[in-house]
C-alpha cells in the first residue's frame, strides 16, 4: 500500500470540490461552457412514447453500455495472468472442483460476471430512480394530462429500461471476449454472450421489485431497491464463509445465478424469473394507476 497515493487522491478530490463550488457561484444558472440543447436538432422523429423515452434515455444508456464494455474488456486483458495465479493454488482448485469447475479461466470470468451482475443491478435501480425523479419533477404530468394513458406511459418506460439492460449485458459479454481474445483467447464468443445474458434475470428481478414498490410508495422505491442490492451482495460474500442457512442465502438475488461461463446458465430458472418480473411489473402499473402522482 502507498499512503502517499491515497493522500494525494484525497487532496485532489477536495480541491476539485472547492473549484466546483467556486465556479457555480460565479455563473448564471444554465450558463455552462457546453450549454444544454433546448431544441431537437438531430432530426430524430418522436412517433410515440417508446421513441420519446428512448430519446430521453439514450445518452444514459450509451454511457452504461460503454462503461460495461470497457470494464469487462479490461478484465479480459488480465484474465490470463489471473487464471495462472488461481491455478497455482491447490486450495482454490479443490474448492471449485467440488462445484464441477475445472478450468481456472472459466472460474475467473464467472467471478467477474458475478461482480458485473451487481453493477447491472445497480443500473436497473438507477432506471427506477430516474422514473421517480421524473415524477417528482413533474415531467410525468406532461404525459398524464395528454391523451396518453398511465399504463402506456409507464409500460413504455419499463420496456425501454428492460431492453437497455439486455443491451448492457451483451456489451459486457462482448467486452470480455474482446479483451480475452487479445491475450489468450480462452473465452469463446458463445460463452461470453451467454454469460452476459445470464446477468439479466437478477437485474430484471430487482428492477421488477423496485417498480412494484414505486407503484405503491414512490419515495421508498430507490432506498428499498438499493437495500435489496446491498443485502444480496453481502449474502453472496459472507454466505459461504459463515455457512449460513440456505433459506437466508436464497433471499439474495445473486445466489440463484450460476457462475457462467464456468457453469451453464439455468434457462428454466430464468424463465421462471421472467414470469415473476412480469407479475411484479403488473402490480406496479396497477398501483400507479390507482394513486396520485408526487
Amino acid at each position: 500500500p502507498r499512503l502517499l497515493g491515497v493522500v494525494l487522491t484525497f487532496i485532489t478530490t477536495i480541491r476539485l470540490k472547492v473549484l466546483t463550488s467556486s465556479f457555480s457561484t460565479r455563473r448564471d444558472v444554465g450558463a455552462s461552457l457546453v450549454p444544454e440543447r433546448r431544441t431537437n436538432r438531430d432530426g430524430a422523429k418522436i412517433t410515440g412514447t417508446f421513441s420519446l423515452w428512448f430519446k430521453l434515455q439514450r445518452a444514459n444508456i450509451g454511457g452504461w453500455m460503454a462503461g460495461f464494455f470497457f470494464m469487462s474488456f479490461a478484465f479480459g486483458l488480465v484474465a490470463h495472468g489471473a487464471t495462472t495465479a488461481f491455478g497455482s493454488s491447490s486450495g482454490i482448485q479443490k474448492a471449485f472442483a467440488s462445484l464441477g469447475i475445472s478450468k481456472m479461466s472459466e472460474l475467473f470470468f464467472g467471478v467477474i460476471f458475478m461482480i458485473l451482475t451487481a453493477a447491472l443491478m445497480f443500473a436497473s435501480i438507477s432506471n427506477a430512480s430516474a422514473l421517480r425523479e421524473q415524477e417528482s419533477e413533474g415531467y410525468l404530468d406532461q404525459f398524464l394530462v395528454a391523451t396518453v394513458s398511465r399504463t402506456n406511459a409507464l409500460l413504455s418506460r419499463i420496456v425501454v429500461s428492460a431492453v437497455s439492460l439486455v443491451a448492457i449485458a451483451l456489451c459486457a459479454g462482448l467486452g470480455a471476449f474482446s479483451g480475452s481474445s487479445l491475450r489468450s483467447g480462452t473465452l469463446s464468443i458463445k460463452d461470453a454472450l451467454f454469460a452476459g445474458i445470464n446477468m439479466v434475470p437478477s437485474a430484471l428481478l430487482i428492477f421488477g421489485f423496485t417498480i412494484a414498490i414505486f407503484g405503491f410508495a414512490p419515495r421508498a422505491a430507490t432506498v428499498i431497491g438499493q437495500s435489496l442490492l446491498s443485502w444480496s451482495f453481502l449474502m453472496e460474500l459472507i454466505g459461504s464463509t459463515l455457512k449460513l442457512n440456505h433459506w437466508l442465502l436464497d433471499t439474495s438475488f445473486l445466489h440463484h445465478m450460476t457462475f457462467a461461463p464456468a457453469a451453464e446458465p439455468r434457462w428454466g430458472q430464468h424463465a421462471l424469473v421472467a414470469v415473476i418480473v412480469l407479475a411484479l411489473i403488473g402490480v406496479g402499473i396497477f398501483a400507479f394507476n390507482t394513486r396520485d402522482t408526487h
Side-chain angles (χ1 to χ4, degrees):
R2 297 182 180 179
L3 182 60
L4 179 61
V6 177
V7 173
L8 290 177
T9 302
F10 179 76
I11 293 175
T12 302
T13 303
I14 296 299
R15 294 193 63 178
L16 289 173
K17 289 182 176 295
V18 172
L19 284 174
T20 301
S21 300
S22 176
F23 290 153
S24 64
T25 58
R26 296 180 183 179
R27 66 170 177 85
D28 292 335
V29 176
S32 57
L33 182 63
V34 182
E36 181 181 357
R37 292 187 303 179
R38 299 293 182 180
T39 58
N40 180 18
R41 298 180 181 177
D42 56 9
K45 294 183 179 180
I46 298 175
T47 58
T49 53
F50 287 98
S51 59
L52 177 59
W53 283 126
F54 174 73
K55 182 177 177 61
L56 293 175
Q57 297 295 318
R58 61 183 179 181
N60 184 46
I61 295 172
W64 280 107
M65 291 173 64
F68 268 73
F69 178 86
F70 287 111
M71 183 162 54
S72 58
F73 178 82
F75 285 131
L77 287 177
V78 302
H80 180 70
T83 52
T84 301
F86 283 172
S88 62
S89 172
S90 59
I92 293 179
Q93 291 182 0
K94 290 180 180 179
F96 285 92
S98 62
L99 300 177
I101 301 174
S102 58
K103 295 183 179 180
M104 290 297 104
S105 60
E106 294 180 349
L107 164 63
F108 175 78
F109 281 112
V111 174
I112 292 306
F113 276 103
M114 178 71 71
I115 297 173
L116 290 175
T117 301
L120 188 64
M121 292 167 68
F122 180 80
S124 68
I125 296 173
S126 70
N127 275 307
S129 301
L131 187 59
R132 166 57 191 158
E133 181 181 356
Q134 288 158 357
E135 178 185 355
S136 62
E137 294 293 336
Y139 299 141
L140 277 181
D141 293 345
Q142 307 303 317
F143 286 96
L144 304 182
V145 299
T147 57
V148 178
S149 67
R150 283 190 171 211
T151 300
N152 187 9
L154 185 57
L155 183 60
S156 57
R157 178 68 169 81
I158 291 173
V159 170
V160 170
S161 298
V163 172
S164 69
L165 291 176
V166 176
I168 293 169
L170 290 175
C171 284
L174 290 175
F177 168 74
S178 301
S180 174
S181 299
L182 292 179
R183 296 299 299 270
S184 59
T186 56
L187 184 65
S188 67
I189 182 65
K190 176 185 175 182
D191 289 341
L193 292 178
F194 277 5
I197 293 296
N198 190 56
M199 298 162 52
V200 176
S202 297
L204 286 179
L205 187 58
I206 199 168
F207 178 69
F209 270 101
T210 308
I211 291 298
I213 297 167
F214 169 78
F216 289 97
R219 294 177 179 85
T222 302
V223 174
I224 295 178
Q226 292 176 348
S227 299
L228 289 173
L229 172 58
S230 300
W231 174 262
S232 298
F233 201 65
L234 179 64
M235 287 296 99
E236 199 62 26
L237 286 177
I238 69 174
S240 58
T241 303
L242 300 181
K243 297 182 180 180
L244 299 176
N245 185 279
H246 73 91
W247 292 107
L248 187 61
L249 292 176
D250 286 342
T251 60
S252 169
F253 291 88
L254 292 169
H255 186 66
H256 302 280
M257 64 176 293
T258 60
F259 274 83
E264 285 292 327
R266 300 169 183 168
W267 300 115
Q269 181 174 291
H270 292 343
L272 177 60
V273 169
V275 174
I276 296 174
V277 170
L278 290 176
L280 290 171
I281 291 175
V283 170
I285 293 176
F286 173 79
F288 179 69
N289 286 333
T290 56
R291 68 169 175 84
D292 291 334
T293 58
H294 308 290

